[in-house]
Amino acid sequence: MSTSDPDRRYHHGDLRASLVAAALAQLEVGGAAALSLRGAARTCGVSAMAPYRHFSGKEELLEAVAASGFEDLAVALEAADASADGAQALAAQGAAYVTFACRQPALFRLMFMGPGCGPDRSRAYAILERRAATLAGSRMAVADLTLAAWSLVHGLAALILDRRVPLAGEAAEDAARRITLAFARLAAEAR
Amino acid sequence: MSTSDPDRRYHHGDLRASLVAAALAQLEVGGAAALSLRGAARTCGVSAMAPYRHFSGKEELLEAVAASGFEDLAVALEAADASADGAQALAAQGAAYVTFACRQPALFRLMFMGPGCGPDRSRAYAILERRAATLAGSRMAVADLTLAAWSLVHGLAALILDRRVPLAGEAAEDAARRITLAFARLAAEAR
DNA sequence: ATCGGATGTTGACATCGTACACAACCTCGC
DNA sequence: GCGAGGTTGTGTACGATGTCAACATCCGAT
């Protein structure tokens, strides 16, 4: 009707994307515990049941949030993978991985420890594998090297996020670069 | 009173331990999502408020559960650390770490991704560090080597648990042993 | 213009974590 | 013995959450 506030249209326009954005925002400020379906709906100015028109339930919303996180991760890794030197590039990827985790800890956790554990070898994996292939040799197959490199940075990120290791901010990224580089050189020399 | 059922004593006897055990059991069957304070109380045949006499809230119960998990982990790592050869021992520790995670996935998650993120360099860390010290050299300091080894197995475990990697059961442990061993040898040779 | 599907709303329910007040029990000092 | 006082468990209540069912509103194709 003509008299009503344009912000209060019955139809939201793009609720699905707004819900994902709201969930992401909530994730950043309050951690995973503060993420509620109702809260996201409230943020979008919509009723508690509206999200169910776009997601089958809470879990599916979280999966969508995680998916958007994987997109960002892939972009960050691709950007870091610039150096011509294989070991340097791998180290840069490692640092970028840890940086991503440190900057969006709750998102990172959700992406990996979340309820949706789909076996999706993501785009990020492909980027890493491409680099690892240039370093692999007889001592370590490509698959193992890729898995080792990924485990290394993933574990480092996880340990840092959970404060299992006294590193934070810049120091964390430095450690990631240093360790990934050492690992890459070890692998390259032993080829 | 003499007529009452002995199972229905007003005092439970050892509620605290029973609650931790109940939570652990629930964790194994239904994952972290199925873990509720009320549920644990119900399992123990006690009112919903009783747990608050032993824990300040849900978080503290979870911390107690996690602590019991760390105990078990340390025991498992210590048992695996038997071999005289440093690289072999490190590989065995890595396999044991992954095995632990695979056998009690929800517990493992709770221990690390749980709400309580205390900077406790646990006993498990000391065991690992001792081994790593025998392999470190000029190329990689003890601290970095320890951190790298831990990150490697921790990341591997995390990726396996979240099905990010197509490994399960025996294959997972094999991969852990293989990769940890390769890493340890690389480090030892480059010393 | 209208009809149907997509989108949102209201109301209700079970469950959860937790606060407050009260009851049963155990352990002392006497 | 026995009663005082702390310890442990109970009952009730409140607000928040995820989800179901039924209903309302809107937009686009016909």
Side-chain angles (χ1 to χ4, degrees):
Chain A
M1 13 168 96
S2 55
T3 65
S4 78
D5 185 343
D7 287 356
R8 290 301 185 111
R9 290 199 320 280
Y10 190 89
H11 281 58
H12 177 281
D14 190 2
L15 222 205
R16 190 187 158 99
S18 297
L19 284 169
V20 172
L24 211 74
Q26 196 65 27
L27 212 50
E28 279 175 9
V29 307
L35 209 174
S36 77
L37 208 45
R38 292 176 101 109
R42 227 175 290 131
T43 302
C44 294
V46 106
S47 84
M49 285 303 297
Y52 286 87
R53 292 291 152 196
H54 301 271
F55 304 97
S56 71
K58 184 179 190 178
E59 189 166 321
E60 211 171 279
L61 203 214
L62 297 196
E63 278 170 24
V65 172
S68 100
F70 275 113
E71 287 283 317
D72 294 353
L73 212 209
V75 169
L77 289 190
E78 222 149 34
D81 190 46
S83 169
D85 179 66
Q88 288 286 353
L90 202 61
Q93 275 195 49
Y97 195 95
V98 171
T99 299
F100 179 90
C102 288
R103 284 226 238 277
Q104 318 218 11
L107 209 211
F108 183 83
R109 272 201 261 263
L110 175 65
M111 287 164 57
F112 290 101
M113 359 285 200
C117 33
D120 64 336
R121 303 173 93 70
S122 55
R123 189 149 68 94
Y125 182 85
I127 299 171
L128 173 62
E129 189 170 37
R130 179 154 44 84
R131 258 311 154 195
T134 72
L135 293 176
S138 58
R139 298 295 297 280
M140 229 172 158
V142 182
D144 274 5
L145 215 179
T146 309
L147 182 53
W150 191 8
S151 297
L152 192 61
V153 292
H154 186 74
L156 187 54
L159 292 176
I160 289 172
L161 287 198
D162 294 320
R163 309 271 168 79
R164 237 78 228 187
V165 117
L167 294 171
E170 204 119 342
E173 300 176 24
D174 284 351
R177 193 184 323 275
R178 190 160 19 95
I179 289 182
T180 316
L181 188 57
F183 173 75
R185 289 217 171 119
L186 251 41
E189 289 172 13
R191 177 154 33 160
Chain B
M1 292 296 86
S2 54
T3 64
S4 76
D5 186 344
D7 287 356
R8 290 301 186 110
R9 291 196 318 278
Y10 189 88
H11 281 50
H12 177 282
D14 191 0
L15 222 204
R16 189 188 159 98
S18 296
L19 284 169
V20 172
L24 211 72
Q26 197 65 26
L27 211 52
E28 280 175 10
V29 306
L35 210 174
S36 77
L37 208 46
R38 293 175 101 110
R42 229 175 288 131
T43 301
C44 294
V46 109
S47 85
M49 287 303 296
Y52 286 87
R53 291 290 153 196
H54 302 271
F55 304 98
S56 71
K58 183 179 191 178
E59 190 166 322
E60 211 170 279
L61 204 213
L62 298 194
E63 278 170 23
V65 172
S68 101
F70 276 113
E71 286 284 317
D72 295 353
L73 212 209
V75 169
L77 288 190
E78 221 149 34
D81 192 45
S83 169
D85 179 66
Q88 287 286 351
L90 202 61
Q93 275 195 49
Y97 196 95
V98 170
T99 299
F100 179 90
C102 288
R103 285 225 237 276
Q104 319 219 10
L107 209 210
F108 183 83
R109 275 190 177 89
L110 175 64
M111 286 164 57
F112 290 100
M113 358 288 199
C117 35
D120 63 336
R121 303 173 94 70
S122 55
R123 188 149 67 93
Y125 181 85
I127 299 171
L128 174 61
E129 189 170 37
R130 180 154 44 82
R131 261 310 155 196
T134 73
L135 293 176
S138 58
R139 299 293 299 278
M140 229 173 158
V142 182
D144 274 5
L145 216 179
T146 308
L147 182 53
W150 192 8
S151 297
L152 192 61
V153 292
H154 186 74
L156 188 53
L159 292 176
I160 288 172
L161 286 198
D162 294 320
R163 310 271 168 82
R164 237 77 227 189
V165 118
L167 294 171
E170 203 119 342
E173 301 176 24
D174 284 351
R177 192 183 330 270
R178 190 160 19 95
I179 289 181
T180 316
L181 187 58
F183 173 76
R185 290 219 171 115
L186 252 41
E189 288 173 13
R191 177 157 31 163

